[in-house]
Each structure stands twice: as structure tokens, then as C-alpha cells.
Amino acid sequence: KNFTKRHLIIGSSLTLFFSLLFPYGIILLGIAIITALLISQYFTRKYDGLSGDMYGFMIEVSEIVLLQAALLL
């Protein structure tokens, strides 16, 4: 309700800034975005939308994928 475009810009800028502090941060950020987009596209096609449980699933899967990617890097 109180979330504005300004909040989105600040949050995105901080995420990008902190991901640039680490050598592989931008790669991991890209992996997280791609993972979330693929999962959201799958659920949107299959169920015609997203629910809170699906968002929670996307967060958990993204964390697992990021941890695995960080171990490989």
C-alpha cells in the first residue's frame, strides 16, 4: 500500500551496489533473477498467476540455486 516507485529504485540500487562489492556478485545476482523469472513464468502459465506460496517457493529455490552456484564459483 505504501510501496512507491522510489522504494523500488532505492532497493534495486542497494542490491546492485552490494552485488558489485564481491567478485562474483553480479553473476550471482543474474542467476537469482533468471531463476525467479523462470519459476514465475512456469507458475503463471500453469496456474494463471502467482500466490504467496508460489513466491515463497521461488525464494527458497533461488536460495538453493545461489548457494550451489556460489560453491561452484
Side-chain angles (χ1 to χ4, degrees), residues 12-57:
S12 299
S13 299
L14 286 173
T15 302
L16 184 60
F17 172 75
F18 285 115
S19 70
L20 292 174
L21 290 178
F22 302 101
Y24 296 109
I26 204 75
I27 295 170
L28 294 174
L29 179 63
I31 290 171
I33 291 170
I34 290 170
T35 302
L37 286 175
L38 290 175
I39 294 170
S40 67
Q41 285 178 351
Y42 172 77
F43 281 133
T44 301
R45 281 191 209 124
K46 187 161 177 91
Y47 299 109
D48 294 326
L50 299 169
S51 70
D53 287 337
M54 293 173 189
Y55 284 118
F57 177 77

